[in-house]
Amino acid sequence: MIAFFIRRIGQAMIVMFVISLIAFSIQDNLGDPLRELVGQSVSEAERQVLRDEMGLNDPFLVQYWRFLKRAVKGDLGNSYFFKRPALEVILEKLPATVELVMGATLIILLFSIPIGVYCAINPRSWLTKLMMGTSIIGISIPVFLTAILLIYLFSIELGWFPSFGRGETTVLFGGWHTGLLTRDGLMHLILPSIALSSIMLPLFIRLIRSEMMEVLEQEYIRFAWAKGLTRKRIWFLHALKNTLLPVITVGGVQIGTMIAYTILTETVFQWPGMGFLFLEAVNRVDTPLIIAYLIVVGLIFVITNTLVDLIYGLVNPTVKLTGGAA
Amino acid sequence: MIRHWRLFVDSTFLYRFRRDKVAIASFSLLLLMVLLSFSSPLIAPFDPYDPAQIDIMDSDMPPAWQAEGEPRFPLGTDAQGRDMLSTILYGTRISITIGLFAVLLQSILGISLGLIAGYFGGRIDAFLMRLADIQLSFSTLMVAIIVLAIFQASFGTELYNELAIFMLILVIGIAEWPQYARTVRASVLAEKKKEYVDAVRVIGLGSGQIMFRHILPNTLSPILVISTVQVANAIMSEAALSFLGLGMPVNKPSLGSLINSGFEYILSGSWWITAFPALVLVLLVLVINLLGDWLRDVLNPKLYKD
């Protein structure tokens, strides 16, 4: 078990190292920091002196090491556009994205498990057929289209929900701007959350259904029926537990997809989160901000992914065996 | 040749296809879309790439059946005055082309690496599969957005727009190889133990020939099943990237960039610029997914699962 933990954490560090290397080579190749600092008016000789002073002529590895040392301290350079530390700018937008992801996750959890289980235990009911049919349509509609459709229906035609922005926010302790405490903020959150969950939800419903159907065929479930356990106990205690194991793994794999979809959702709804900021930074070639996004999102991604794997290792005892055999 | 054809006509595969209404409907619809879009230079009423045929005076016209519409433009025009029907036909062609070539690249990479991993086993296998795990956890769309964004920022928009179609194929093609590699590897592991492989090895054939000539043909049914889903996914990824402005440019639009350019006008009521390309995109992906589901049921391969 400990070996598994160490290997998993080692892998996380390697991935983080690769991300930092990519981030650094972007900084190295994209845009000239000198030009951002002094403009065009300085002569070539003076530029060379400045380059030497700033260490821009040092070997790659020396520069990378310097970059790493500063990055660990949280210094990723100043954003060209905002003229403030890039990390600060990114972290300001973090709450918006986190709340959006939380909203979507809540929707996925609340709906996918009951619907998936229902479809597995009543495979022939008309409701199951309807759900399965709807879910394949749901998988075929890209997130940004769902988002546009939601805006068109509920904002433009019906006028029930606002179509863009985060609405009113309040400040929690520690400077966390939240939209969860006001009615206006919550109203703004509903459509983006639905849009973000729209492709994951059918995916999870289908996954839970097929896993559950497989589990229900297994020997120990038949034995449980033979013992005369109640239906509820078999379905919701014995079968559901083993259904959720693979769901955790798939959930872990989907974190990256979720991050990509936040960029899409935030663009459509002009949600002031990190993804929206990232696309703006790309359009303005704001290199420090692009790098800061990569590092922050990479870190979040690696940490959550590692946590999911470790939790999986804890709840699934067979992981121990594969760890020993490999 | 005729013998093969008879074999195909009598097969259970075709029998089950003819019995399944959903499969027939989705296959015909897909065929129709492919045929129409690939003959777009012949059948489209206008050439959207030709600036001489575009008149800004025609811009923002609703579909022909609405009061302000004109019969010249059956599905209306976009903000630049391009005929929607023509742009959609051309756009579908680009989307399908990118989807097919990206999947071709994925399958070449994935099948080769999967064969190598499964056939040789040991350290190569462990390394490749670890790499596949990490690559999979990163999700294609996330990698593609970041890579394309960086390329766009460093190339400048002009140059990027010219290279966009190749960049999209490359990025989507490279990012998804693990899907194929894992599936092929799983089938190779099962095939490797069979007698015919021992037999060809005794004959003295080389590893390459055994892998590609003898094992590969026996892993084709799972490859076929995931290929359909992969094409649908590639088309969706392309659409998402173009929607973000990282894919096909406005003057050579795919379905995604059409939706993107229409989205700006949806608030002013011009729904048709978004709605028609969106409908085509959803239908295209849906029929491919339905066909993929059907193939999975019929061929029932043991797909790789954790």
Side-chain angles (χ1 to χ4, degrees), chain A residues 8 11 15 19 22 26 30 136-137 139-142 144-145 148 151-152 156 163 199 206 211 214 249 252-253 255-257 259-261 263-264 267-268 278-279 282-283 285 290 293-294 297 301-302 305, chain B residues 130 133-134 136-142 145-146 148-150 152-155 233 236 239-241 243-244 246 256 259-260 263 266-267 269 271 274 277-279 281-282 285-287 289-290 293 305-306:
Chain A
R8 198 60 196 77
Q11 192 186 321
V15 172
I19 291 176
I22 293 171
I26 294 168
L30 202 66
I136 195 156
I137 297 175
I139 286 181
S140 307
I141 305 180
F144 61 93
L145 266 186
I148 295 175
I151 290 186
Y152 191 75
I156 301 178
S163 64
I199 218 158
R206 291 168 76 88
E211 288 298 333
E214 218 163 89
T249 334
V253 174
I255 294 168
T257 318
I259 291 173
Y261 287 162
I263 301 181
L264 283 166
T267 310
V268 178
F278 173 68
L279 274 191
V282 168
N283 287 333
V285 200
I290 297 178
Y293 177 81
L294 280 190
V297 165
F301 169 75
V302 169
N305 230 331
Chain B
R130 211 69 225 137
D133 279 350
I134 295 177
L136 266 189
S137 73
F138 267 103
S139 117
T140 312
L141 205 53
M142 187 169 104
I145 289 175
I146 289 170
L148 292 179
I150 289 163
Q152 199 181 40
S154 49
F155 282 1
N233 282 344
M236 282 238 268
L241 291 165
F243 178 74
L244 288 175
L246 299 170
I259 296 167
N260 181 23
F263 177 55
I266 200 169
L267 288 170
W271 53 270
T274 314
L279 195 68
L281 176 67
V282 171
V285 175
L286 181 65
V287 291
N289 273 338
L290 284 171
D293 264 19
K305 250 173 62 182
D306 265 296

Side-chain angles (χ1 to χ4, degrees), chain B residues 38-51:
Chain B
F38 277 84
S39 50
S40 50
L42 300 173
I43 57 167
F46 294 90
D47 180 0
Y49 300 157
D50 181 10

